Amino acid sequence: MLGKENLINKQILIYGLGLSGKSCHKYLSKNNNIKIFDDNSSFRKNKNKDYFINKKQINNIRFDYIVISPGIDIKQCGLKDYLLKNRKKIISELDIFCTAYPENIKITITGTNGKSTTCKMLHKIFKSKNLDVRLVGNIGNPPLLEKNIKKKTIFIVEASSYQISYSNYLKTDYAVILNLSADHLERHGSINKYAKAKLKLIYNQDKNKQSYIERNNNIINRNILYQNIKSKINRINFKKENFFRKKISNLYLLDKNNLNNIHFIYSICKKFGFSDTKIFNTLNNFKGLRFRKQIIYKNSRLKIINDSKSTSFSSTVGLLSSYKNIYWIVGGMYKKGDNFNLNKKYHKNISAYIIGLNKKYFIKQFKKKIKFKYLKNLKQTIIQIKKDIKSDRNFKTILFSPSAASFDQFKNFQERGEYFNKLVKKIILINEI
């Protein structure tokens, strides 16, 4: 087991000087001899340049630990051979975090879709109880940069499969896997390896801890079948949807994906003894995160949703099954292993507008299922949708949920989302159709 005493007076290599690498460097440099390597040579010009070493120097130093940033794929990086040879020395930011605060309650949330929103909602509910709760990981601060930590401080951690897969000493009191479908297969190699990366949260738990999984997720179930699970497994069955619909007036939360994830939130909050009043008052006042199922416009005839964060079909399906008369903008860089699986009864509600470079892939997915058109870019699509909705007298939903990565046309999902908002305001809402 890695403890605080193991991270004193050690030779440590930090590979990758992104946000995670910088926070690890700041924390570890007080008591250890730190060296840094990054494939991006431009980082060597920053204030930490004195710590940087090259490949030749790495082989001349006997490192005790190698801290690797989650964005680095050890099978395809500058130190590939070295890392594979020294894999047992690899630790992660989350490992160091757990050694820093071993006694604090940690609620760690992962899943294919909805991690950030779920973490934020849970954080808001805990804050409403005046608890000292910190939101860290993929959302909020890097955990090692948090200050004034007390014994009663509670951490809500958003963790990706990349972060968990490199963590060997991550211990969490509450392990939450919201959902699991094909994603990041180009990195993990197969759906089962991806699942096992996520499930390390549960595999590494101690006795008397709590874990939460979907009851009917076959991928999860087959990967925990023969494992020696020590924690108490709570299987979520999504049977409270009608109950939640009666209690929740917040339109942002009434799609399938959010309602499913609220089952997890509700179950955890009940473990902490929170009242329904406190839970639902907070949820009804919750303002969604930008570009995540965000309703940017609504009147009696039209609703417009910006879900630019969507990078897979599974993240969009909940929206496609929650609305009628959908004008769906979809496309970008598809993910390996992803497939369009939507119940046939919803097909008639959808008209798809395909954008981006991977035209053939999306046409193959939709052929003989839903109506679709192909347009080269987002601007042409918005112009076309404006024409199409003019002749449609029914209530309409324009859904920008690309179900694909943005890198074929944009730097990231934020830039893609901003551009969509700009086009909608300029082209569709100019006369408030």
Side-chain angles (χ1 to χ4, degrees):
M1 179 63 193
L2 188 71
K4 279 187 178 181
E5 68 281 359
N6 299 115
L7 294 175
I8 296 174
N9 297 324
K10 301 296 182 182
Q11 288 276 2
I12 300 176
L13 174 66
I14 294 176
Y15 184 11
L17 201 62
L19 200 58
S20 173
K22 286 177 182 176
S23 68
C24 290
H25 177 250
K26 185 174 182 179
Y27 178 82
L28 293 171
S29 59
K30 300 169 188 174
N31 299 307
N32 301 279
N33 184 22
I34 305 296
K35 297 298 179 185
I36 299 170
F37 180 85
D38 198 293
D39 293 316
N40 185 348
S41 59
S42 65
F43 279 139
R44 299 173 193 174
K45 298 175 184 178
N46 70 15
K47 63 181 180 180
N48 296 313
K49 63 182 179 181
D50 294 338
Y51 294 92
F52 273 89
I53 56 175
N54 57 41
K55 286 185 185 179
K56 290 182 179 179
Q57 292 171 305
I58 286 174
N59 289 308
N60 294 329
I61 302 174
R62 186 181 178 83
F63 288 105
D64 298 294
Y65 297 104
I66 303 165
V67 182
I68 186 168
S69 293
I72 293 169
D73 183 351
I74 64 172
K75 293 174 288 187
Q76 299 181 40
C77 65
L79 296 183
K80 173 185 172 182
D81 294 337
Y82 178 80
L83 293 177
L84 292 174
K85 184 179 177 181
N86 294 277
R87 191 154 192 165
K88 289 183 179 179
K89 295 182 179 181
I90 293 175
I91 60 175
S92 73
E93 178 189 23
L94 291 181
D95 290 331
I96 301 166
F97 161 63
C98 285
T99 68
Y101 307 110
E103 303 302 322
N104 291 83
I105 292 175
K106 301 171 192 70
I107 303 169
T108 306
I109 296 176
T110 192
T112 304
N113 304 304
K115 297 184 292 295
S116 296
T117 299
T118 303
C119 285
K120 191 72 175 178
M121 285 192 282
L122 193 61
H123 178 255
K124 290 281 188 185
I125 295 169
F126 273 68
K127 288 286 282 186
S128 73
K129 294 285 289 183
N130 296 315
L131 296 170
D132 178 13
V133 58
R134 311 297 176 91
L135 190 59
V136 297
N138 266 10
I139 186 171
N141 270 338
L144 294 172
L145 296 185
E146 287 293 318
K147 297 178 180 178
N148 301 318
I149 304 302
K150 302 175 181 64
K151 287 183 179 180
K152 291 186 177 181
T153 300
I154 297 170
F155 291 98
I156 295 175
V157 187
E158 181 190 337
S160 70
S161 61
Y162 295 169
Q163 291 171 306
I164 302 168
S165 64
Y166 286 145
S167 298
N168 293 311
Y169 305 98
L170 171 59
K171 296 280 188 180
T172 188
D173 301 274
Y174 296 79
V176 183
I177 303 178
L178 297 173
N179 45 63
L180 210 151
S181 56
D183 201 8
H184 302 305
L185 301 193
E186 66 286 345
R187 171 83 166 257
H188 295 288
S190 71
I191 185 64
N192 283 336
K193 288 180 180 177
Y194 170 61
K196 285 175 181 175
K198 297 279 193 186
L199 284 162
K200 276 178 75 176
L201 272 188
I202 297 176
Y203 298 161
N204 290 350
Q205 279 186 297
D206 295 325
K207 192 177 178 181
N208 300 322
K209 304 304 180 184
Q210 301 286 328
S211 59
Y212 298 80
I213 60 173
E214 288 181 287
R215 177 181 290 277
N216 297 319
N217 191 301
N218 293 330
I219 303 168
I220 293 175
N221 287 330
R222 69 172 177 250
N223 278 285
I224 64 171
L225 191 59
Y226 300 108
Q227 296 291 329
N228 179 24
I229 307 296
K230 297 176 184 177
S231 61
K232 160 69 175 170
I233 298 180
N234 298 273
R235 297 177 184 272
I236 305 299
N237 58 22
F238 306 138
K239 287 186 176 180
K240 289 185 177 292
E241 183 174 316
N242 289 335
F243 169 67
F244 292 153
R245 285 187 181 277
K246 291 175 183 177
K247 294 284 188 177
I248 295 172
S249 58
N250 187 341
L251 293 176
Y252 172 74
L253 300 179
L254 292 177
D255 66 273
K256 271 281 188 187
N257 286 356
N258 276 324
L259 286 169
N260 283 354
N261 292 341
I262 286 169
H263 280 77
F264 289 88
I265 291 171
Y266 188 78
S267 184
I268 293 168
C269 287
K270 285 301 175 183
K271 291 283 186 188
F272 281 83
F274 296 172
S275 69
D276 281 9
T277 301
K278 184 63 71 174
I279 295 168
F280 293 115
N281 280 350
T282 305
L283 291 177
N284 283 326
N285 287 301
F286 179 75
K287 293 181 180 178
L289 301 177
R290 294 196 78 200
F291 313 134
R292 294 165 172 87
K293 303 175 178 63
Q294 183 185 13
I295 299 171
I296 62 170
Y297 180 80
K298 186 179 185 298
N299 67 13
S300 59
R301 292 167 293 168
L302 177 68
K303 180 184 290 182
I304 304 176
I305 301 172
N306 187 337
D307 188 37
S308 179
K309 182 65 171 65
S310 164
T311 57
S312 66
F313 284 126
S314 62
S315 63
T316 302
V317 162
L319 290 170
L320 294 175
S321 59
S322 299
Y323 299 101
K324 294 181 179 179
N325 203 16
I326 301 169
Y327 292 74
W328 177 28
I329 305 168
V330 57
M333 294 178 66
Y334 70 90
K335 292 196 172 179
K336 181 181 176 182
D338 198 16
N339 287 292
F340 178 64
N341 295 315
L342 180 69
N343 193 302
K344 283 184 179 180
K345 68 180 180 179
Y346 300 113
H347 289 183
K348 64 181 182 298
N349 294 331
I350 303 165
S351 297
Y353 296 77
I354 302 169
I355 61 172
L357 297 179
N358 296 132
K359 168 185 175 182
K360 291 181 180 178
Y361 168 79
F362 289 97
I363 289 175
K364 185 178 178 181
Q365 292 287 326
F366 300 154
K367 202 169 183 181
K368 296 182 180 179
K369 292 182 179 178
I370 62 174
K371 296 178 290 183
F372 62 85
K373 296 178 181 178
Y374 173 72
L375 295 106
K376 287 185 179 180
N377 56 52
L378 195 51
K379 185 176 181 179
Q380 286 185 7
T381 301
I382 298 298
I383 292 170
Q384 182 62 50
I385 288 177
K386 181 177 181 179
K387 293 177 182 176
D388 293 346
I389 63 176
K390 273 188 174 180
S391 58
D392 189 343
R393 293 184 179 180
N394 299 311
F395 185 86
K396 305 161 282 287
T397 299
I398 298 175
L399 174 61
F400 181 49
S401 189
S403 303
S406 58
F407 308 124
D408 59 332
Q409 297 184 63
F410 303 93
K411 289 180 183 177
N412 48 46
F413 76 87
Q414 292 96 334
E415 184 184 75
R416 179 167 68 180
E418 292 284 6
Y419 186 56
F420 174 76
N421 284 352
K422 181 180 177 182
L423 290 175
V424 165
K425 186 175 180 180
K426 184 177 180 182
I427 297 171
I428 291 182
L429 300 183
I430 188 169
N431 294 315
E432 300 240 357
I433 289 175

